[in-house]
Amino acid sequence: MSGRDAEHQQWWRHAVTYEVYVRSFADADGDGVGDLPGLTARLPHLRDLGVDALWITPFYRSPQRDHGYDVADYTDVDPLFGTLDDADALVARAHELDLRVIVDLVPNHTSSEHPWFRAALEAGPGSPERARYLFREGRGADGSLPPNNWRSVFGGAAWTRVPDGQWYLHLFDSSQPDLDWRNPEVGDMFESVLRFWLDRGVDGFRIDVAHGLVKEEGLRDQVVPEGSEPGSAAPTGGSMIERTLRDEPMWDQPEVHEVYRRWRRVLDEYAGPRGDRILVAEAWTQTPESMARFVRPDEMHQAFNFSWLLAPWSAEAFAAVVTGTLEAVGPVGGSPTWVLSNHDVIRHPTRYGGGPRGLARARAATLTMLALPGSAYLYQGEELGLEEVDVAPEHRTDPSWFRTGEAGRDGCRVPLPWDGDAAPYGFGPGTGQPWLPQPAGWGPRSVAAQQADPGSTLAFYRAALAARRTFATTAGESVTDLRVEGAVLSFRRGPVTVVLNCGSEAVPLPPGEVLASSAPAGTVLSRDLPADCAVWLRDPAAR
Ligand code: NOJ
């Protein structure tokens, strides 16, 4: 295979993928919820932005208790989002625009409305129907205590009791019963789901809770250090920014990798003229090494590398993530991934302090990320510089809010502003309001307003992605000269030197032609790099 052919085949190694939170992207039918036809109509925005692929959050039949991450039928489209024909039209249009399509697969749990779970409830204890899930007897004399001490990621016990006295496990909401992946029926069902969507032409799958499918046999108690609470390293709203090494019999069990080896064989059968069909893991693992196990050559193609997103605003912390990631992923031949925002975490301008400084830092972190080897994931609205919205309690819908009373994840899911000066800002037709209220004053943040402004964050993203194309595929998969001097991080990637200033003072810049910068438009970067700013400098000799 020539270098060019290999590059086409392995397009994912350097792709930029844009996450579409389908409820909040664009609403064609005016019911206040985004849908597939709305997304299809707005695909040119993604082409103009310059991304290579989109990942669409779940649009399958679902009671929407966790906004689609509670699937009742894996092979049909929820009427809220459209029809199977709409899904086909979306894939076809995306391909016409040279965008690949990654869909979301939710294999850890089904909805409690899934026919399998309904049948399990009806069939009763000891039945083959119950054996597809994790039903157990309770503890205590009358079985009224949960079978173990595990907690739901969304708060409260991870077990719910059914009327006949048994309990079922749900690592998330009680409407999301966990499947028993040690039961071969489960694996067979998901293989047929993979084939269903591959046959319809999708280019890959983002695997929800990829580290959770198999639990430690015996479902023992989690060992919790004295003085702390049982819990998990998985995401809940903004509260998962810290991770510690802990005992996790519910996550990252060795047997989970067998599942992905099987799936990889299936996907490899489908590689074709559009190149590889891919698997990307959402795996909140505890170390870069455990993340790398998911991307061994016969498993997934990629795994989200949440360490970049979890790092504080610090040159040292960013440098440690780059080094740790490359050291872990390199030996298994994987390609690293980088991400700053998604539909489960507080938007990165807000994490970095909000306001103009938060946005400046967010742009700088984004530009730095886009120079790194491997592939980057963007979250809808970050190209507009959107901040987390403070959603009023009466409008909140996140199941974790209902289970814990903590604000939850609605604030990063507010529907996008496309044009105009008042809600719904072109999100849907007419003046009908979207499912989460949009803030007043979002007009200047809309796509239309930013399109017309060369100094906008949208213009910055477009320029950065265009500049990335000039070197990303040819600059190799390593970084060199990684340094931290004071509050400044710098490294080289091929012909490009990247400098990120995390300090509060301007710093002198090395020589080089400015290829891209996160500074406000009109800033001339000649000798100094301002605080909270990043730049790509092209080595003059490399032209
Ligand atoms: C991770 C998804 O990103 C999140 O939105 C969802 O709530 C959980 N998995 C449970 O499916």
Side-chain angles (χ1 to χ4, degrees):
M1 202 188 285
S2 75
R4 238 186 130 77
D5 289 346
E7 188 194 304
H8 175 76
Q9 183 75 23
Q10 302 196 339
W11 57 274
W12 45 274
R13 289 192 90 94
H14 48 76
V16 176
T17 300
Y18 180 102
E19 178 191 353
V20 171
Y21 192 68
V22 64
R23 294 178 72 85
S24 300
F25 190 74
D27 170 21
D29 64 8
D31 65 356
V33 178
D35 46 41
L36 298 183
L39 167 56
T40 304
R42 294 289 190 183
L43 283 176
H45 170 66
L46 303 188
R47 181 210 41 209
D48 296 347
L49 185 59
V51 299
D52 303 291
L54 55 149
W55 145 37
I56 313 167
T57 55
F59 48 76
Y60 318 109
R61 276 194 189 265
S62 157
Q64 301 291 318
R65 291 282 292 274
D66 188 20
H67 299 330
Y69 286 97
D70 48 328
V71 180
D73 182 347
Y74 290 87
T75 55
D76 200 3
V77 174
D78 196 286
L80 189 61
F81 301 123
T83 61
L84 275 174
D85 285 347
D86 293 330
D88 292 343
L90 166 66
V91 172
R93 179 71 180 130
H95 287 168
E96 266 169 34
L97 297 174
D98 208 16
L99 293 164
R100 290 182 171 86
V101 178
I102 295 173
V103 295
D104 212 318
L105 190 68
V106 189
N108 178 67
H109 43 265
T110 67
S111 159
S112 50
E113 307 276 305
H114 190 283
W116 271 11
F117 193 72
R118 291 177 170 203
L121 289 184
E122 249 173 55
S127 60
E129 287 83 355
R130 283 217 175 168
R132 294 166 177 152
Y133 294 90
L134 291 157
F135 279 87
R136 293 291 183 273
E137 300 301 330
R139 291 200 287 204
D142 55 358
S144 64
L145 297 172
N148 68 24
N149 69 349
W150 297 2
R151 310 286 294 170
S152 152
V153 174
F154 292 162
W159 295 91
T160 290
R161 200 171 193 192
V162 299
D164 57 47
Q166 279 205 317
W167 297 74
Y168 67 90
L169 179 72
H170 53 88
L171 291 176
F172 294 87
D173 190 56
S174 55
S175 62
Q176 295 164 299
D178 280 53
L179 288 160
D180 185 355
W181 270 86
R182 294 179 188 276
N183 180 335
E185 260 192 272
V186 174
D188 293 346
M189 190 268 260
F190 276 94
E191 179 168 334
S192 67
V193 172
L194 288 175
R195 290 185 187 280
F196 178 88
W197 290 104
L198 288 166
D199 287 336
R200 297 193 101 87
V202 305
D203 300 286
F205 300 89
R206 174 265 189 193
I207 308 303
D208 189 62
V209 197
H211 56 313
L213 273 47
V214 185
K215 281 75 180 170
E216 190 178 305
E217 203 128 39
L219 308 184
R220 66 170 172 86
D221 272 349
Q222 179 177 28
V223 178
V224 182
E226 220 170 299
S228 56
E229 297 284 315
S232 73
T236 52
S239 64
M240 49 12 134
I241 298 299
E242 273 178 38
R243 292 188 299 173
T244 49
L245 281 175
R246 58 167 111 206
D247 177 48
E248 293 187 329
M250 66 291 279
W251 304 123
D252 203 12
Q253 299 300 307
E255 298 92 327
V256 83
H257 297 284
E258 286 309 318
V259 175
Y260 303 125
R261 293 198 176 102
R262 174 175 181 181
W263 290 9
R264 179 62 179 259
R265 290 192 293 272
V266 173
L267 265 81
D268 283 351
E269 283 175 35
Y270 282 83
R274 302 190 53 75
D276 291 337
R277 315 272 190 119
I278 70 156
L279 295 166
V280 50
E282 186 229 15
W284 289 86
T285 58
Q286 300 203 48
T287 62
E289 291 71 30
S290 49
M291 185 256 297
R293 284 199 287 272
F294 286 81
V295 295
R296 288 176 287 195
D298 58 347
E299 296 195 39
M300 303 229 198
H301 301 76
Q302 293 184 330
F304 292 137
N305 172 20
F306 291 117
S307 1
W308 186 252
L309 169 160
L310 295 167
W313 178 253
S314 137
E316 266 175 19
F318 286 132
V321 171
V322 172
T323 309
T325 302
L326 298 181
E327 278 175 0
V329 170
V332 296
S335 94
T337 65
W338 311 95
V339 58
L340 282 163
S341 278
N342 65 35
H343 68 281
D344 289 328
V345 301
I346 293 175
R347 285 185 176 277
H348 61 288
T350 308
R351 288 205 312 272
Y352 295 141
R357 193 166 82 161
L359 181 58
R361 290 179 169 183
R363 289 166 53 139
T366 300
L367 192 71
T368 307
M369 166 177 98
L370 289 174
L372 288 165
S375 100
Y377 282 78
L378 308 179
Y379 176 50
Q380 67 178 40
E382 70 171 80
E383 79 279 23
L384 306 176
L386 296 187
E387 284 201 38
E388 191 80 358
V389 175
D390 188 8
V391 176
E394 65 273 23
H395 294 302
R396 292 181 192 156
T397 66
D398 184 350
S400 78
W401 152 251
F402 294 114
R403 289 179 69 90
T404 63
E406 285 171 25
R409 302 164 294 175
D410 291 305
C412 62
R413 300 173 173 181
V414 173
L416 290 190
W418 289 95
D419 52 52
D421 288 322
Y425 301 105
F427 170 67
T431 54
Q433 295 301 301
W435 67 281
L436 280 175
Q438 298 158 305
W442 249 16
R445 297 289 174 121
S446 73
V447 174
Q450 296 203 35
Q451 204 134 263
D453 173 6
S456 66
T457 294
L458 178 57
F460 157 71
Y461 266 78
R462 285 182 178 172
L465 289 169
R468 177 185 156 96
R469 282 182 188 276
T470 66
F471 68 89
T473 55
T474 50
E477 295 202 340
S478 53
V479 302
T480 53
D481 300 332
L482 181 78
R483 286 201 188 106
V484 176
E485 280 160 297
V488 179
L489 167 74
S490 61
F491 60 86
R492 277 181 71 89
R493 168 101 193 284
V496 177
T497 297
V498 180
V499 189
L500 167 68
N501 183 1
C502 294
S504 49
E505 307 287 332
V507 294
L509 265 184
E513 176 205 346
V514 175
L515 186 59
S517 110
S518 69
T523 312
V524 179
L525 295 179
S526 50
R527 299 157 73 117
D528 287 339
L529 181 66
D532 300 323
C533 194
V535 66
W536 294 349
L537 299 170
R538 198 203 315 248
D539 184 348
R543 296 212 69 197

